[in-house]
Amino acid sequence: MTANRHIVPVAMTGTGMAVPPRVVTNDDLSKIMDTSDEWIRQRTGIEERRHVDEGVTPSDLALEASQKALAAAGLKPTDIDFILVATLSPEQFFPGTCSFLQAKLGLDTTPGLDIRAQCSGFVYGLEVGQALIASGQYKRILLVGVEIQSVALDMTDRGRDTAVLFGDAAGAVILEPAKNPEFGIRRVITRLEGKHTDKLGVVYPSAVGGRWIKEEHLKTAGHNPYMDGRFVFKNAVSRMPEVINEVLKDQNLGVADIDLWLFHQANLRINEYISLGMKIPPEKIYNNIHKYGNTSAATIPTLLDECVRAGRVKPGDKIMMTAFGAGFTWGAALVVWGA
Ligand code: UT7
């Protein structure tokens, strides 16, 4: 590998995740909208997802994931000196989810901010977290990807094209300067193409239309997600390999050098298409979309936590993480496991 472009190698010293206990199967959805287990499974690979019960908020899930990540790192909340929360489904329109999480962690004035890069939010968070540590200003960062998307879905026939896809979850990592300079985040590359905002998003509440939200917006489902699925699919299968290849080239690595691939979990077909094209052995890819659906910014940290806890990663393993989402935003990160 080439020398790390970043001066301070930053390691992940703890991981954690949380999903709500309520399982919603494809059959459950087919009872309330015109869909079927066969359609969802064949098109996406999703078998079930988790939905929160009323009253549970993003900061609740984020707190559980954070506490597990802190415990894994042997830290307490007061050891954290900056918090990053990646989300597209915030606790409130403002203030950011980070404020709610910070208070629930029992912290006094620890700073933090929300990252609004949708499904690529966690990869963006790695880039920001690494830069904050490299700046020398912060030593221990809590980075969380959290989504409660079930509450924004249109659970009728009208919303079936997106309602079957998304789920609720949180994943967290602790970022610290690596003790061993061979370990840690080696390279993150992020990209954004703002001209495609009309292909995937949620409009209201917003400054569009003269009011945050009007009665007519509710009637036209402007507060529910919209997506041009085929267009997004085509971009996802070209942009993720593109940025992965940029990271590999930057690090003088080939596909065969990577030990574990963690792809964004929007559609199993997307990941299969890319892995076939790039000749990635299926046994080196870990997916959890069948259990949780698309959990947007929470996909990569939940994949990572499951792999870590299952003993699937060992020090020195090279992990490639990649994501694509609304914005359009996308990115890839190469991490050498270990601290
Ligand atoms: O995480 C952010 C990034 N997101 C993505 O990367 C998602 C990318 N897109 C996709 O994964 C796929 O486009 C979807 C899974 C969303 C949709 O699959 P598709 O094969 O592109 O289906 P389609 O949208 O072209 O719809 C095919 C048919 C349509 O019916 P007609 O027009 O052929 O009669 C839809 O109305 O399937 C219909 N349909 C459904 N049928 C049963 C749409 N949603 C459903 C549904 N159940 N839930």
Side-chain angles (χ1 to χ4, degrees):
M1 277 184 288
T2 54
N4 190 351
R5 177 169 304 217
H6 303 286
I7 301 153
V8 180
V10 173
M12 297 179 187
T13 57
T15 66
M17 66 173 278
V19 288
R22 185 155 64 93
V23 175
V24 178
T25 65
N26 293 344
D27 284 334
D28 291 335
L29 292 178
S30 67
K31 286 179 194 132
I32 54 172
M33 65 183 79
D34 182 15
T35 190
S36 65
D37 177 56
E38 194 193 5
W39 191 96
I40 302 169
R41 218 179 261 258
Q42 277 182 4
R43 304 264 174 158
T44 70
I46 300 169
E47 295 168 22
E48 57 189 42
R49 71 289 290 141
R50 303 296 181 95
H51 285 181
V52 291
D53 290 318
E54 205 172 327
V56 177
T57 71
S59 61
D60 292 330
L61 283 188
L63 177 67
E64 192 184 329
S66 302
Q67 285 168 334
K68 288 178 182 165
L70 285 163
L75 299 176
K76 48 189 189 312
T78 46
D79 294 323
I80 293 299
D81 49 23
F82 201 92
I83 305 169
L84 292 167
V85 177
T87 187
L88 63 73
S89 51
E91 187 110 353
Q92 288 184 187
F93 194 77
F94 77 85
T97 306
C98 189
S99 299
F100 296 89
L101 174 63
Q102 192 253 28
K104 284 183 182 173
L105 282 165
L107 295 172
D108 187 12
T109 57
T110 307
L113 55 87
D114 280 22
I115 293 180
R116 299 293 302 271
Q118 299 64 250
C119 296
S120 314
F122 186 79
V123 176
Y124 270 76
L126 289 178
E127 183 161 51
V128 174
Q130 183 181 49
L132 290 177
I133 291 176
S135 75
Q137 203 159 339
Y138 300 102
K139 280 213 156 50
R140 285 175 181 145
I141 294 184
L142 167 64
L143 167 61
V144 189
V146 58
E147 308 290 359
I148 288 188
Q149 310 189 92
S150 55
V151 296
L153 302 173
D154 178 356
M155 290 294 194
T156 68
D157 291 354
R158 182 177 64 177
R160 68 176 185 169
D161 59 333
T162 50
V164 303
L165 305 174
F166 296 102
D168 304 338
V173 296
I174 307 297
L175 301 177
E176 296 185 78
K179 292 192 185 82
N180 181 338
E182 295 302 312
F183 293 158
I185 303 166
R186 309 307 300 188
R187 186 79 170 108
V188 186
I189 298 181
T190 50
R191 298 280 181 251
L192 185 149
E193 195 176 30
K195 70 183 179 201
H196 297 310
T197 50
D198 60 332
K199 303 299 185 197
L200 177 55
V202 171
V203 181
Y204 300 109
S206 78
V208 178
R211 295 289 285 277
W212 282 127
I213 189 152
K214 294 183 193 169
E215 197 64 34
E216 72 205 52
H217 299 149
L218 299 175
K219 284 188 200 129
T220 57
H223 58 300
N224 300 125
Y226 60 83
M227 175 160 69
D228 180 341
R230 291 199 169 191
F231 189 84
V232 178
F233 190 108
K234 275 186 207 145
N235 278 266
V237 296
S238 65
R239 292 308 198 178
M240 282 191 279
E242 193 179 281
V243 74
I244 289 168
N245 282 324
E246 274 188 79
V247 170
L248 288 174
K249 191 168 173 219
D250 180 83
Q251 293 293 307
N252 276 334
L253 293 173
V255 166
D257 295 313
I258 303 300
D259 300 292
L260 178 66
W261 295 82
L262 303 180
F263 282 96
H264 177 47
Q265 303 288 294
N267 186 334
L268 201 58
R269 308 290 159 250
I270 292 178
N271 302 354
E272 287 168 351
Y273 186 96
I274 295 174
S275 52
L276 209 65
M278 294 187 74
K279 300 189 173 55
I280 300 170
E283 63 274 14
K284 287 189 173 180
I285 304 169
Y286 180 70
N287 293 302
N288 62 15
I289 190 171
H290 56 290
K291 296 188 283 186
Y292 307 133
N294 181 352
T295 60
S296 297
T299 60
I300 291 180
T302 57
L303 291 168
L304 182 65
D305 184 61
E306 289 188 331
C307 287
V308 169
R309 284 173 199 269
R312 231 187 128 153
V313 282
K314 56 181 191 314
D317 277 359
K318 296 181 194 71
I319 309 174
M320 182 69 82
M321 309 172 181
T322 186
F324 181 91
F328 288 152
T329 56
W330 65 98
L334 178 76
V335 176
V336 178
W337 192 250

